[in-house]
Amino acid sequence: MAALTLLTALISIVTAISVLWLNPRRLANQAFSLLSIVQAIWLLCVHMAIHHGSMGDETDVARLEFWLRGNAAVVALIPWTLTIMRDAIVGCKLSALLRHPGWILAAAVMIWLCFQPSFLSERDNLESGRGMAYWIYSGFLIGCFLMCLLGIYRTLPNTKGIRRVELQCIGLTTGCAALIIASMNALGNILDFRALNRSTVAWAFAAYIVM
């Protein structure tokens, strides 16, 4: 799983650079590259959490906790960057792309929740222990991704040509993958079934293959 995580992060970085290189002045390319970089950072945080969590008795609990909180904080930025990408694809100007106070506030609230004491519970097994802040965060995150998908779906009838194709292939694929990943993480923690949590990297990898 660690190898797949690093591979997917590498694909994200290469994709971001390639898309930006093809047309660095196009806002849609810039927005997609930003989203890919955020995903790459998330995957690197996941890799570090896996690394520290697999050390057995030598696990540094403080470092493991940092990477668990850190990867969740990075994910909190994805709804905002996904919305920026949607607006860039449909042709919004740069000034309009930055006017998303609701999404900025949502990201700030979720990041704040990530670093609350109750985000991770007091259970001995830090990897599976989650507290109230985590469940509020997860519900909020899933709701944000549902709103992103709804926004993309409502935008589709008003777009044509390459913009419509980009929204379908990139916007919907990314949004669906993000919703599935957030849901798998939450479900894995509810059931204490680690395989569901580990499958999130495979979903991210599959999304890039589909795109």
Side-chain angles (χ1 to χ4, degrees), residues 35 62 72:
L35 181 60

Side-chain angles (χ1 to χ4, degrees), residues 101-161:
W103 289 114
I104 295 172
L105 178 61
V109 169
M110 287 188 285
I111 291 172
W112 177 78
L113 286 169
C114 292
F115 293 96
Q116 296 307 298
S118 62
F119 188 80
L120 297 174
S121 73
E122 298 297 326
R123 293 172 59 180
D124 292 334
N125 184 356
L126 181 62
E127 184 182 2
S128 59
R130 297 293 187 271
M132 181 59 67
Y134 172 81
W135 301 117
I136 296 173
Y137 164 90
S138 292
F140 200 7
L141 182 66
I142 290 171
C144 285
F145 284 138
L146 283 171
M147 289 181 64
C148 285
L149 280 172
L150 181 60
I152 293 171
Y153 180 76
R154 286 179 172 177
T155 304
L156 279 173
N158 300 321
T159 57
K160 297 179 181 180

Side-chain angles (χ1 to χ4, degrees), residues 15 19 27-36 85 170 208 211:
T15 302
V19 169
L27 287 179
N29 291 47
Q30 295 173 11
F32 180 76
S33 295
L34 174 63
L35 181 60
S36 295
M85 185 185 71
I170 301 175
Y208 270 98
M211 287 189 291

Side-chain angles (χ1 to χ4, degrees), residues 139-196:
F140 200 7
L141 182 66
I142 290 171
C144 285
F145 284 138
L146 283 171
M147 289 181 64
C148 285
L149 280 172
L150 181 60
I152 293 171
Y153 180 76
R154 286 179 172 177
T155 304
L156 279 173
N158 300 321
T159 57
K160 297 179 181 180
I162 187 63
R163 290 179 177 176
R164 184 181 180 88
V165 172
E166 287 179 334
L167 274 180
Q168 290 174 327
C169 295
I170 301 175
L172 288 179
T173 299
T174 304
C176 288
L179 178 61
I180 291 172
I181 288 170
S183 300
M184 288 294 107
N185 259 323
L187 188 59
N189 288 315
I190 290 172
L191 301 176
D192 201 9
F193 186 46
R194 297 299 98 194
L196 290 177

